[in-house]
Amino acid sequence: MNSRSGRPLRILSLVALLVTAAAGAGFSSTSTQPMFAEIHRLEPAAERGAGFALAVAADDWPDWRGPRRDGTSTATGLPESWSPDGENLAWKAPYGALSTPVVFGDRLYLQNAAGAGATTQERIVALNADTGELVWEHRFNVTLSDAPPHRVGWASPVVDPETGNIYALGVAGTLFGLTPDGELLWQHYLSEVFGLVSTHGGRTVSPVIDQGNVIISGVTAGWGSMARGMHRFLAFDKATGQVAWVSSTGTQPYDTTYAPPIVVNVGGSRLLIAGGSDGAIHALKPSTGEIVWRFPMSKRGINTGVLLYGDRALISHGEENLADSRMGFLASIDATGSGELGGDAVDWSVFEHLGGYSSPVLDGERLYQIDNSANLVAFDAASGGTLWRQNLGTIQRASPVLADGKLYAGTRNGVFYILRPSADGVEILDRDELASTAIAPGNGDTEGEEFEPIIASVAIARGRIYMASESNIYAIGPVVAPASASGTAVPSESAGAPMGVPAHVQIYPQELVIEPGEEVHFEARLFDAGGHRLPGSSAVVEWGVQGGLGTIGADGTFVASADPVRRGGAVTARVGDSLSNSARLRVSPPPPWRYDFDDMESVPPYWISALGKFQPDPQAGVLIKTNANPFLKRTRVYLGSSDLHDYTVQVDFNTATERRRLGDAGVIAQRYALIAFGTKQRLELQSWQPETARTTSVPASIRSGTWYTLKVNTENLPDGQVRVRGKIWPRDEAEPDEWTIDATDAMGSRYGSPGFYGDAHAVISFDNLEVVPNP
């Protein structure tokens, strides 16, 4: 088991290994500061910024939807035509992507898949924006994700204009920050910390940066009060990676989404407005996470971005509406409201417009959106009236970008358009078909096609249009960047906002995992009703502790109890009679941990993603995985800190039979899962199940009503390799000396939370769960 001293040095070694592509086929698959055990962190490149970031230059494209996050640019003199064969083509590079590139200064950053088969990873690529030459790449493993290889790289990275640092979220829930030179700042594994859900679709939100925080969202099912699965927004300090706030929407999610947020000033408040997995549009204060309003509208998740037209939010989706069975919706709603918004907030609406994937753009008084069937439609932004329609193809995913009076958009059919819209119609200035060349590794759904699908939006910077297909990236425009390709600077945040009286108290940091006896300093931050942080305050803070975790002093210094007992609880802060809040934390001594489930009334509250999915049976002394809810029958549970390594996880299980199917049970160690598949009668060692080249499988005899023992062991080897061994045997027999599976992973996952797994095709019983460090 790891000791906590010397962690930064070990992280540096791991980063060096991950940046270099692993050679050869392995079985499969990829720190924490002492006080904050869920953060994989190096020393920050800069101290945390002040309340407001620097202005974003309009000739940079640091965010998926551009400097304003609305798909527009003030750049002028942009190309009206080009050719993949050379006309107005500055350069072309063989880096395909599903996500939009971002550009800052002379660097272009792209998120995509790298390698093939057993060596497939996700990566951030840094290119010279003027030449397309590779500057550096940062590869990281996809572990315990349900996303297949051709869905890797769904999100875009984001660049912090203040520091030039880059932040990204991978399909497996890996959130991290990099310096402009590609060095790791900090890293989270959100599935192990928050229970972030990964699905086959791979839908992953792109981070945004606001007021010193990196903000993401997704479906999570964590521990304690956040165990219920719902769409949540999470903010992380951009310099340290510590959690600033977590905001729950309070409603059940339908699926995962990738809706891009917009951050705007409305009625004196700064709001982050974004679609959620619960089929609603949410507005919240990005400084505190406080929900301001919610507008439910769809029976599935929202994938499109929101625009602001005056004080109206322009919203859309392409699914079935809540109000009736019609598909698709476009509307203008009042963005100055609060609470649950209803029909009285709607100014106008258009039904049966299927704008479900491609986000709209706004050109003065006209809104443009491409529907799911690649029809570009113009609407009057004030009334919602349809002005004209132009077909571009048959399938659409990419969002159009508006700049220099032109729309730039590609289609899933591999056709790229340059268009000049007007009130009366649209002129097609240029139409180019991208013939298929070499398919980028990992994008297997395009194999055999004769064109290069375009899923990503373009980025506009340095006088060029940067367009990524699934096979290549193209820089359309002059070879030599113009001296100035921008209009005026675009402020990213409003620095001159008036300050009011305290209306909200926030405890920083949040969501910690610490060991017995460790010390944490908390601070109470005050904000006014508009979400503006109030500078220095003489307010008296009354601190408290819930859950018997330890003690806290008047200055906010918390000391965890020295008792070697695992527990979850919170630190509380009260200011005056009306302001209070809490910060959740778990105290977890290092293993060994053992659970026999005798007399256990409920699952431990500090387990990740267990509550409501597993139920103890105190009389039988076992833990039950039921199949009553089909949406919850398959679950990974994580037991502790994500910085553990070199340990063994063991559990006994017994599966029933239902409709001739048996349940599947497994144990998880260091991001490797050893799973006994009852119906399929086999034992598998997985790190990323959809990439079958990274799975080892052997036959196994599993009978209903018989108790078995599963055991997995991990051992970190030199040169980044990890040895993983697993075995299964009937519990009433002696443990066999030989391991059933013994594999070495060349791209080893060096750390990870212990856990267990259940897929209840039929009811599964668990007993005698233990985690033991290697001797």
Side-chain angles (χ1 to χ4, degrees):
M1 192 64 52
N2 69 292
S3 65
R4 296 191 171 226
S5 61
R7 167 68 60 188
L9 179 61
R10 287 202 298 273
I11 299 178
L12 281 170
S13 301
L14 176 59
V15 171
L17 290 168
L18 293 180
V19 170
T20 304
F27 125 72
S28 43
S29 191
T30 90
S31 25
T32 309
Q33 59 171 329
M35 192 176 295
F36 305 104
E38 296 294 0
I39 302 172
H40 295 221
R41 178 192 171 206
L42 298 179
E43 290 302 313
E47 294 299 320
R48 185 178 189 275
F52 299 96
L54 301 178
V56 180
D59 56 351
D60 287 324
W61 196 268
D63 189 281
W64 172 19
R65 295 290 284 153
R68 294 181 179 83
R69 304 188 180 104
D70 62 359
T72 69
S73 169
T74 59
T76 57
L78 297 174
E80 295 188 354
S81 65
W82 76 295
S83 169
D85 297 326
E87 177 198 353
N88 267 336
L89 181 63
W91 53 262
K92 171 184 174 182
Y95 299 98
L98 303 172
S99 60
T100 300
V102 295
V103 183
F104 190 76
D106 63 354
R107 294 285 177 87
L108 178 147
Y109 302 101
L110 194 68
Q111 187 165 343
N112 65 5
T119 64
T120 301
Q121 293 180 295
E122 197 164 2
R123 68 177 171 181
I124 302 297
V125 174
L127 303 179
N128 184 308
D130 293 329
T131 66
E133 295 177 348
L134 179 67
V135 180
W136 54 258
E137 64 176 20
H138 173 79
R139 298 193 180 197
F140 55 102
N141 275 342
V142 181
T143 55
L144 300 184
S145 171
D146 296 327
H150 64 272
R151 289 279 183 161
V152 168
W154 201 254
S156 293
V158 63
V159 181
D160 173 27
E162 188 176 44
T163 62
N165 293 335
I166 307 100
Y167 301 88
L169 176 64
V171 293
T174 307
L175 176 69
F176 57 89
L178 301 171
T179 70
D181 294 326
E183 297 179 0
L184 188 66
L185 289 167
W186 51 261
Q187 183 163 277
H188 279 285
Y189 293 92
L190 299 183
S191 59
E192 299 175 12
V193 182
F194 293 98
L196 184 70
V197 173
S198 165
T199 64
H200 178 82
R203 293 175 177 174
T204 309
V205 301
S206 301
V208 296
I209 297 174
D210 193 77
Q211 299 174 335
N213 291 327
V214 180
I215 303 172
I216 61 107
S217 71
V219 179
T220 73
W223 67 277
S225 61
M226 294 186 188
R228 179 187 171 193
M230 65 180 63
H231 194 98
R232 292 185 171 90
F233 294 85
L234 304 94
F236 303 83
D237 186 294
K238 69 182 184 182
T240 66
Q242 293 171 4
V243 181
W245 54 259
V246 180
S247 182
S248 299
T249 60
T251 50
Q252 178 180 333
Y254 299 118
D255 50 19
T256 53
T257 60
Y258 57 89
I262 190 169
V263 183
V264 290
N265 295 302
V266 179
S269 294
R270 189 166 180 81
L271 297 181
L272 182 149
I273 308 176
S277 304
D278 56 355
I281 301 293
H282 301 274
L284 59 153
K285 300 175 186 178
S287 55
T288 64
E290 296 169 272
I291 299 291
V292 177
W293 55 258
R294 172 181 181 270
F295 182 78
M297 61 179 184
S298 170
K299 294 180 181 178
R300 297 298 299 268
I302 309 299
N303 290 306
T304 52
V306 176
L307 298 176
L308 198 69
Y309 178 69
D311 58 3
R312 268 41 185 175
L314 304 179
I315 60 177
S316 62
H317 73 81
E319 304 293 341
E320 187 176 355
N321 288 285
L322 284 177
D324 54 39
S325 60
R326 287 180 290 180
M327 298 288 291
F329 186 67
L330 174 69
S332 170
I333 65 172
D334 184 1
T336 65
S338 62
E340 185 97 349
L341 304 185
D344 56 349
V346 179
D347 294 321
W348 57 257
S349 59
V350 177
F351 286 86
E352 298 180 318
H353 169 69
L354 302 182
Y357 302 106
S358 179
S359 295
V361 292
L362 190 62
D363 181 6
E365 301 301 314
R366 293 187 297 276
L367 178 144
Y368 307 110
Q369 187 173 32
I370 309 176
D371 69 17
N372 299 353
S373 299
N375 295 301
L376 172 63
V377 189
F379 299 91
D380 183 277
S383 68
T386 301
L387 302 176
W388 49 260
R389 183 185 307 266
Q390 172 68 52
N391 179 257
L392 304 178
T394 60
I395 304 174
Q396 188 67 27
R397 293 295 182 268
S399 301
V401 168
L402 178 67
D404 195 23
K406 297 181 281 288
L407 288 171
Y408 296 88
T411 72
R412 176 65 177 77
N413 308 97
V415 180
F416 185 73
Y417 288 91
I418 302 176
L419 309 163
R420 179 177 285 122
S422 66
D424 302 323
V426 61
E427 178 185 0
I428 299 177
L429 299 175
D430 192 72
R431 179 185 185 277
D432 287 283
E433 297 183 10
L434 304 182
S436 179
T437 54
I439 300 300
N443 293 339
D445 61 346
T446 65
E447 291 180 0
E449 294 181 334
E450 297 180 354
F451 55 86
E452 299 178 21
I454 303 171
I455 306 297
S457 304
V458 303
I460 297 179
R462 304 178 71 78
R464 305 187 187 98
I465 312 302
Y466 296 94
M467 182 267 291
S469 73
E470 289 196 19
S471 303
N472 299 285
I473 183 166
Y474 300 84
I476 303 169
V479 174
V480 178
S484 177
S486 67
T488 58
V490 180
S492 64
E493 301 175 21
S494 56
M499 297 294 179
V501 298
H504 177 81
V505 60
Q506 177 188 89
I507 304 178
Y508 177 86
Q510 296 267 335
E511 294 297 322
L512 304 178
V513 177
I514 62 176
E515 291 191 356
E518 288 197 13
E519 182 179 294
V520 181
H521 179 73
F522 291 96
E523 61 176 295
R525 299 173 173 177
L526 295 178
F527 296 83
D528 68 11
H532 309 111
R533 184 176 174 184
L534 302 178
S537 173
S538 59
V540 176
V541 180
E542 180 183 343
W543 294 98
V545 179
Q546 297 175 346
L549 301 180
T551 60
I552 191 166
D555 64 347
T557 299
F558 168 83
V559 180
S561 169
D563 296 336
V565 178
R566 305 191 72 201
R567 52 170 68 99
V571 166
T572 63
R574 176 176 292 276
V575 177
D577 295 330
S578 59
L579 301 183
S580 63
N581 215 328
S582 61
R584 305 188 328 150
L585 66 159
R586 291 174 284 163
V587 177
S588 180
W593 308 326
R594 292 181 172 86
Y595 302 91
D596 59 16
F597 306 115
D598 292 341
D599 303 319
M600 180 180 283
E601 298 292 336
S602 63
V603 298
Y606 46 82
W607 283 3
I608 298 293
S609 197
L611 193 63
K613 301 165 188 175
F614 290 82
Q615 180 62 50
D617 182 343
Q619 292 182 340
V622 298
L623 183 70
I624 302 296
K625 180 73 180 79
T626 68
N627 60 355
N629 187 333
F631 297 103
L632 303 178
K633 75 178 188 65
R634 180 174 177 268
T635 306
R636 299 183 186 97
V637 175
Y638 297 101
L639 306 179
S641 171
S642 61
D643 73 337
L644 301 175
H645 64 88
D646 293 285
Y647 57 84
T648 298
V649 183
Q650 180 173 309
V651 74
D652 300 336
F653 78 94
N654 182 334
T655 174
T657 302
E658 185 170 322
R659 296 181 181 179
R660 295 183 294 180
R661 301 188 71 185
L662 284 72
D664 304 330
V667 283
I668 300 170
Q670 214 164 299
R671 303 191 183 102
Y672 298 96
L674 181 72
I675 301 176
F677 288 90
T679 304
K680 297 178 181 178
Q681 295 289 289
R682 69 171 181 251
L683 183 69
E684 286 191 3
L685 182 60
Q686 311 170 347
S687 65
W688 178 21
Q689 187 273 332
E691 179 47 82
T692 55
R694 297 176 68 172
T695 296
T696 297
S697 178
V698 297
S701 176
I702 303 166
R703 299 186 302 276
S704 174
T706 300
W707 280 96
Y708 296 90
T709 301
L710 272 175
K711 184 175 185 177
V712 65
N713 169 264
T714 57
E715 179 186 1
N716 286 348
L717 303 176
D719 301 324
Q721 299 184 87
V722 174
R723 186 182 187 186
V724 189
R725 296 174 291 180
K727 64 174 71 172
I728 183 173
W729 70 94
R731 186 173 69 173
D732 58 2
E733 298 180 7
E735 177 181 348
D737 294 330
E738 299 297 320
W739 293 93
T740 311
I741 294 176
D742 190 337
T744 299
D745 185 0
M747 300 190 306
S749 178
R750 309 286 287 184
Y751 303 91
S753 172
F756 61 98
Y757 169 93
D759 189 355
H761 306 294
V763 173
I764 311 169
S765 301
F766 292 89
D767 199 4
N768 301 318
L769 172 66
E770 62 179 44
V771 181
V772 180
N774 292 348

